[in-house]
């Protein structure tokens, strides 16, 4: 459903993402992994339309997005890495703003907001400004905002940060249900255990390049490693974690 | 073991430097931008008149010395009063503006508490930094007059010399310290009296009130100087209530005037300063208690749960006036950002405060029955002053972001074409900038009658809408979603344009109103002319939004971009 072809992003002399080609098919959850600074968030921002690519194309339903951004964005739901919200608005006010910007009718919007706030346990806090919310509560507001208009493409950038265990479980089931409903989902995260459980396929990025793109089981079989964590470490880690830890303590004691 | 051999005094100096920097770097002036440029511009603006005005006075004193030497003492007294008014006004406005930044806050507590620095050292550094800020404001406003005014008096053979320098230094410094520490005392007492949440919510209104008071001290100095002269001739007790005159009296007393009036005024000045300093010292205890509570309490949310009346009003507005979802989105977003954003609210209330102060000057002109200015002209100018100041304030506030990193929301969700979104913004500016002067209809009805006043206010509304279109003509953004660049507008160069614009906006319509009320077809011609201008501006704006120029939603720059250091 969504494709990036030879997608590149440069910041001056620094190339954050280098000619990557990925496909996010409908009906599946695609995991997107990479260490800090690998270009993960830059890719996600380009796919969400927040950042203009320096090169390459983004295709939606096989057609380049160049003149179809509005149509694409109308069918996109996005949860950013940081819960960046307007802190002086209440959750319903923020969600009303999102719904109105998407042109939703007032009655439908009010019903949906009310129902989703109840389902995600935010209804008792509906009169509080977002500045009083915890990180997890802000994350829930973002998740509701992304789902409000029933989008076909969903991009989640670290959506679980700050969520409590119950909300995490709900979210995992929600992703599976959305995938069954035919949505194309890109799930970017650092938490390998969750990605392993949720995603059928993973893309691993390192220093702006794709180093792996396959089913989780296929990657494990190919590299003869028992877990996704070991696969990830093998592909992108250049230092032994235990050695680094020992060196940190050495510096502390110096 | 690690080496912690840094001397204590060096830690203290660093702490004072930190407190002074954060006191000067207000996020009102410089949100997410280069702080030094914003502060530099403001200090340059403040220092400018202090350097220019003494040069302008040279001609006056040379002329008086050659033609009417008997008038020189009155002129000198009036100018002393002016410079003291300027010192008090600048310090008052600066301290009221920097209200939040001048004291320690939750961020300081979070940063400094884990460090091995005693709390009393932190407070001492904070007090010292406040004194440094006072010194900076004082030097910016009074550095020029302190050096140049005594020189001007010497050239004009009106006195001057080291005695004038000393008396001016002491009196203006005492006056500035009085205003500065009074504002800090109010700032320290409020949370203890009202609670931190309420005081935070009410702070912009207190700030606006203090800005009005400070601006009035400056704008009403001619009346104050005249009152002082009349008091010397046996007038009423009015000057005892005006701080400017206390410190003018102190200056004259320091220059050797030992008559009862300067002595009494100097005594009042000294007592007032002492009272304020005692009050300030007592509030330090309250401030210390409040600082220690920062660790126990969570962040106090500043926001207002929806009230029943506000909900009803919102629903009614949505049904009647804001019929489309995009209109509603931008209108309600702008309204909430203005009324809940501390920076934005302060800017607009500051503009309203300026309007109030200018209106008070007009009213003072009516009461003093100046022959040069008709009472009706003075009263009719007030709605126009209010409209101009509010619209300029809203325009400036609109360029200050509410929460820049949250703008991704608009990039993801809003259509790029701006027309439907702009309709909501236009209605927002109408509500907060164009409509409010209508409350002054009864005031205008006094001199010209209700019918003519209604026509006049119709003209004020049309003019407001024209000014709105003109101010926002090239503003292809949703208000409060822009990146704020304080250096982008050269205020030093553009303020004469604002002044000319203000004069035209305020005085020409008053003349047009008077002319229209005297001619049967006058109002028809005025409305036809203004209506045509408005329609043309509307069309230009809509054409712009429909064409190549599309809405821009600024975002915080990427970290990688910030690190490039491309600027020289």
């Amino acid at each position: 459903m969504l494709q990036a072809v030879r997608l590149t992003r440069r910041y001056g002399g620094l190339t954050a993402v280098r000619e990557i080609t990925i496909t996010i098919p409908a009906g599946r959850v695609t995991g997107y992994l990479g260490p800090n600074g690998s270009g993960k968030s830059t890719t996600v921002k380009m796919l969400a339309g927040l950042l203009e690519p320096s090169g390459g194309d983004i295709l939606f339903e096989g057609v380049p997005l160049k003149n179809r951004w509005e149509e694409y964005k109308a069918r996109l739901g996005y949860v950013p890495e940081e819960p960046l919200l307007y802190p002086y608005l209440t959750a319903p006010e923020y969600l009303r703003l999102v719904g109105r910007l998407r042109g939703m009718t007032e009655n439908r919007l009010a019903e949906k907001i009310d129902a989703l706030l109840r389902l995600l346990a935010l209804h008792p806090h509906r009169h509080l400004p977002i500045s009083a919310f915890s990180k997890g509560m802000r994350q829930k507001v973002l998740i509701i905002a992304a789902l409000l208009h029933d989008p076909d493409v969903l991009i989640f950038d670290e959506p679980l940060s700050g969520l409590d265990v119950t909300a995490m479980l709900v979210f995992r089931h929600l992703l599976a249900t959305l995938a069954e409903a035919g949505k194309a989902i890109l799930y970017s995260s650092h938490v390998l255990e969750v990605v392993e459980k949720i995603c059928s396929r993973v893309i691993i990025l390192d220093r702006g390049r794709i180093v792996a793109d396959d089913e989780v089981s296929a990657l494990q079989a190919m590299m003869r490693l028992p877990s996704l964590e070991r696969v990830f470490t093998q592909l992108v880690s250049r230092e032994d974690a235990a050695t680094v830890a020992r060196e940190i303590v050495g510096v502390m004691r110096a | 073991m690690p080496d912690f051999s840094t001397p204590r005094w060096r830690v203290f100096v660093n702490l004072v430097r930190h407190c002074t920097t954060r006191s000067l770097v207000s996020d009102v002036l410089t949100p997410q931008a280069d702080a030094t440029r914003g502060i530099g511009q403001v200090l340059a603006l403040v220092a400018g008149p202090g350097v220019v005005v003494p040069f302008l006075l040279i001609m006056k004193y040379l002329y008086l010395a050659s033609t009417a030497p008997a008038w020189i003492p009155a002129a000198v007294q009036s100018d002393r009063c002016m410079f003291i008014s300027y010192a008090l006004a600048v310090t008052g406005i600066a301290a009221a503006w920097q209200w939040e930044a001048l004291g320690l806050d939750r961020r300081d507590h979070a940063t400094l508490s884990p460090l091995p620095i005693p709390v009393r050292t932190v407070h001492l550094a904070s007090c010292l930094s406040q004194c440094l800020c006072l010194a900076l404001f004082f030097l910016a406003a009074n550095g020029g007059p302190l050096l140049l005014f005594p020189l001007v008096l010497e050239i004009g053979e009106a006195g001057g010399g080291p005695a004038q320098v000393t008396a001016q230094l002491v009196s203006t410094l005492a006056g500035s310290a009085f205003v500065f520490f009074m504002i800090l005392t109010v700032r320290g007492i409020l949370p203890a009296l009202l609670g931190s949440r309420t005081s935070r919510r009410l702070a912009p209104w207190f700030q606006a009130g203090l800005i009005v008071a400070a601006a009035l001290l400056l704008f009403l100095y001619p009346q104050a100087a005249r009152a002082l002269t009349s008091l010397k001739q046996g007038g009423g007790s009015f000057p005892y209530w005006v701080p400017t005159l206390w410190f003018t009296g102190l200056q004259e007393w320091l220059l050797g005037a030992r008559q009862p009036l300067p002595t009494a005024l100097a005594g009042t000045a000294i007592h007032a300063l002492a009272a304020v300093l005692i009050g300030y010292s007592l509030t330090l205890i309250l401030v210390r208690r409040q600082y220690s509570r920062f660790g126990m309490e969570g962040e106090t949310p500043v926001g207002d749960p929806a009230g029943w009346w506000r909900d009803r009003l919102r629903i009614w507005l949505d049904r009647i006036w804001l019929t489309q979802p995009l209109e509603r989105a931008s209108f309600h977003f702008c309204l909430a950002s203005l009324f809940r954003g501390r920076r934005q609210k302060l800017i607009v209330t500051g503009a309203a405060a300026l309007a109030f102060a200018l209106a008070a000057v007009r009213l003072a002109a009516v009461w003093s029955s100046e022959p040069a200015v008709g009472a009706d002209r003075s009263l009719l100018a007030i709605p126009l002053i209010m409209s101009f100041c509010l619209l300029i304030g809203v325009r400036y506030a609109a360029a200050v972001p509410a929460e820049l990193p949250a703008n991704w929301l608009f990039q993801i969700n809003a259509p790029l074409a701006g027309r439907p979104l702009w309709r909501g913004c236009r209605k927002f500016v109408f509500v907060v900038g164009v409509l409010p002067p209508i409350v002054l209809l009864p005031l205008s009805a006094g001199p010209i009658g209700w019918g003519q006043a209604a026509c006049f206010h119709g003209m004020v509304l049309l003019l407001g809408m024209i000014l709105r279109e003109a101010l926002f003509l090239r503003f292809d953004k949703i208000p409060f979603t822009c990146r704020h660049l304080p250096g982008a507008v050269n205020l030093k160069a553009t303020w004469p344009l604002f002044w000319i614009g203000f004069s035209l906006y305020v005085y020409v319509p008053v003349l047009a109103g008077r002319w229209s009320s005297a001619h049967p077809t006058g109002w028809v011609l005025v409305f036809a002319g203004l209506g045509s201008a408005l329609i043309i501006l509307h069309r230009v704006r809509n054409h712009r939004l429909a064409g190549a120029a599309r809405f821009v939603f600024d975002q915080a720059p990427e970290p990688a971009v910030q690190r490039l250091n491309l600027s020289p």
Side-chain angles (χ1 to χ4, degrees), chain B residues 5-18 117:
Chain B
S5 59
T6 309
R8 276 170 177 261
W9 68 267
R10 194 178 287 275
V11 173
F12 183 71
V13 168
N14 283 332
L15 202 53
V16 172
R17 190 184 295 161
H18 159 75
I117 304 170

Side-chain angles (χ1 to χ4, degrees), chain A residues 180 213 235:
Chain A
E180 275 171 27
D213 180 357
L235 286 169

